[in-house]
Amino acid sequence: MSRFPFPRYPNGWFQVAYSDEVAIGGVKPLKYFGKDLVMFRTEAGKVEVLDAHCPHLGAHLGYGGKVEGDCIRCPFHSWKFDAEGMCVEVPYAKKIPDRAKIRTWHVNEVNGLIMVWHHAKGEPPSWGIQKNIEFENPEWTTYEKRSWRIRTHNQEMAENAVDTAHFHYVHGTVEQPTSKAEADKHVLRVVSQTKMRTPMGKTTGTVESLSYGFGYSLTRFTGIVETLLVAGVTPIDDEYVDVRFGFAVRKLMNGDATSTVGAAFMAEIERQLGQDIPIWENKIYVTPPLICDGDGPIGLYRRWCKQFYTMENQALPMAPTQPQPEAATA
Ligand code: FES
Ligand SMILES: [Fe+2]
């Protein structure tokens, strides 16, 4: 029985790796959305993600599969599959069976992240992810990375940004930040004024977080220092999500100060996440929530969330073969 009254795997772009985890010709097994997957980088440098298991006799392509050009060869009987998942060679047969095809996933490699599009009904991406100005910018540091595996749901974790009251009571921030949230299609923008501790003492700054669906968000802090947090949250199975944080700082004149500031911010984010985790892992989802006037824009957030779900009864893999009566519109 799920802890949550909404599907486990929302629709959207989700990070499955960083770019530097798969070199040219590299092959890696993945497990996300309750499925076994294989990721590889072709000789031309493009990342492909396919369902993991070979339709012949079921070998996992992520364990011993070999890249050849833009194809991957199965380690068991050497059938070869192209980037569309079509079998293009069975070295010991005259005819390739018609159904020799593996499901492929839409991949977007951007900002040093490898993301895949998940949709419950297999529909193609309805939005993209753009390159940020901070990435591969000599004025910014490269990512300082951290990762966690947490027993929660994407929607629960993301609610953190609009839950202004918890910042004081869980994280001990001096004051409760004031937040404004606005939703524009798949993007939720939350802007908060907050007091932060930095190595240069307490500073007032603006935190802007942009969530692109549930899988990917950018949080920018502007104050004495400018920082960027690139966050990826990806559901693994019925219980856990993988959380990846990449943290960059706009370089200061003094390189030592840059790394001190970067390390201090990362330590602060790690400290806060450490406080959130036991709450997320053990809470229940209350719906409708019992909200008071001091709470943040939780209602707006939850309405925005609904667009990322295809409800179970719409998620049938095949169209019904029987003609169906007109659906009543409620
Ligand atoms: S299981 Fe893949 S080629 Fe036989
Ligand atoms: Fe928090």
Side-chain angles (χ1 to χ4, degrees), residues 160 166-167 171 272 276 280:
N160 193 74
H166 96 286
F167 284 102
H171 303 312
Q272 291 202 10
D276 286 320
W280 290 333

Side-chain angles (χ1 to χ4, degrees), residues 26 39 61 70-71 113 135 151 161 182 209 255 259 264 266 272:
M39 167 174 75
L61 299 177
D70 64 353
C71 298
L113 278 48
F135 184 64
R151 188 176 160 269
E182 56 192 34
S209 88
S259 49
M266 203 50 166
Q272 291 202 10

Side-chain angles (χ1 to χ4, degrees), residues 9-21:
Y9 306 119
N11 302 332
W13 287 104
F14 295 88
Q15 184 182 1
V16 297
Y18 283 106
S19 293
D20 57 13
E21 291 175 51

Side-chain angles (χ1 to χ4, degrees), residues 3-325:
R3 290 158 70 204
F4 308 105
F6 32 73
R8 178 67 195 166
Y9 306 119
N11 302 332
W13 287 104
F14 295 88
Q15 184 182 1
V16 297
Y18 283 106
S19 293
D20 57 13
E21 291 175 51
V22 60
I24 287 194
V27 178
K28 205 179 164 187
L30 299 174
K31 179 147 193 169
Y32 287 110
F33 318 107
K35 292 190 163 63
D36 289 305
L37 309 173
V38 59
M39 167 174 75
F40 62 97
R41 193 181 289 278
T42 67
E43 287 173 12
K46 193 161 175 286
V47 175
E48 307 288 356
V49 175
L50 272 57
D51 277 1
H53 294 115
C54 181
H56 177 220
L57 288 170
H60 192 308
L61 299 177
Y63 294 89
K66 293 264 182 321
V67 173
E68 283 181 23
D70 64 353
C71 298
I72 185 164
R73 199 178 277 285
C74 179
F76 206 0
H77 313 93
S78 229
W79 291 26
K80 185 161 112 173
F81 298 89
D82 69 12
E84 272 76 60
M86 292 302 295
C87 180
V88 292
E89 189 192 324
V90 178
Y92 57 91
K94 292 192 192 64
K95 186 177 181 307
I96 297 173
D98 289 340
R99 286 184 298 107
K101 184 172 185 348
I102 304 180
R103 184 184 164 197
T104 58
W105 292 66
H106 293 274
V107 177
N108 189 358
E109 184 168 19
V110 62
N111 299 325
L113 278 48
I114 298 170
M115 294 198 250
V116 302
W117 173 259
H118 174 265
H119 191 282
K121 288 204 292 184
E123 287 175 12
S126 47
W127 78 82
I129 299 284
Q130 314 309 324
K131 185 174 182 237
N132 348 296
I133 48 157
E134 297 90 345
F135 184 64
E136 289 175 336
N137 179 338
E139 291 178 17
W140 284 76
T141 62
T142 54
Y143 298 139
E144 174 82 23
K145 298 171 188 163
R146 295 287 185 282
S147 60
W148 297 262
R149 191 156 280 198
I150 304 175
R151 188 176 160 269
T152 185
H153 187 288
N154 283 75
Q155 179 174 330
E156 289 276 74
M157 256 196 87
E159 195 165 276
N160 193 74
V162 289
D163 177 5
T164 49
H166 96 286
F167 284 102
H168 176 68
Y169 299 100
V170 177
H171 303 312
T173 54
V174 193
E175 286 165 21
Q176 193 167 318
T178 50
S179 294
K180 279 214 332 253
E182 56 192 34
D184 183 11
K185 301 195 191 101
H186 63 281
V187 185
L188 180 75
R189 179 167 176 265
V190 183
V191 180
S192 313
Q193 304 301 325
T194 186
K195 287 198 172 67
M196 293 270 289
R197 271 172 271 175
T198 78
M200 288 98 151
K202 285 204 185 99
T203 166
T204 306
T206 302
V207 183
E208 180 197 50
S209 88
L210 292 163
S211 298
Y212 300 85
F214 285 138
Y216 174 69
S217 68
L218 301 174
T219 305
R220 293 185 173 93
F221 178 86
T222 44
I224 301 180
V225 286
E226 284 181 66
T227 64
L228 167 72
L229 176 67
V230 178
V233 181
T234 311
I236 302 168
D237 55 21
D238 286 347
E239 294 285 320
Y240 285 87
V241 297
D242 260 350
V243 179
R244 295 178 178 87
F245 280 7
F247 192 73
V249 187
R250 185 194 275 278
K251 290 178 191 164
L252 304 167
M253 298 304 268
N254 171 347
D256 289 347
T258 306
S259 49
T260 311
V261 169
F265 264 92
M266 203 50 166
E268 173 62 11
I269 287 166
E270 279 190 282
R271 183 187 74 85
Q272 291 202 10
L273 209 72
Q275 294 168 326
D276 286 320
I277 289 171
I279 293 183
W280 290 333
E281 292 201 329
N282 297 292
K283 74 186 288 300
I284 58 165
Y285 183 80
V286 176
T287 183
L290 195 55
I291 298 289
C292 67
D293 58 15
D295 280 320
I298 290 172
L300 180 142
Y301 168 75
R302 290 193 175 187
R303 283 192 297 281
W304 174 78
C305 290
K306 289 186 180 153
Q307 66 184 299
F308 304 109
Y309 297 114
T310 304
M311 291 303 167
E312 302 287 285
N313 60 356
Q314 301 169 339
L316 299 172
M318 298 288 177
T321 49
Q322 296 289 324
Q324 297 291 300

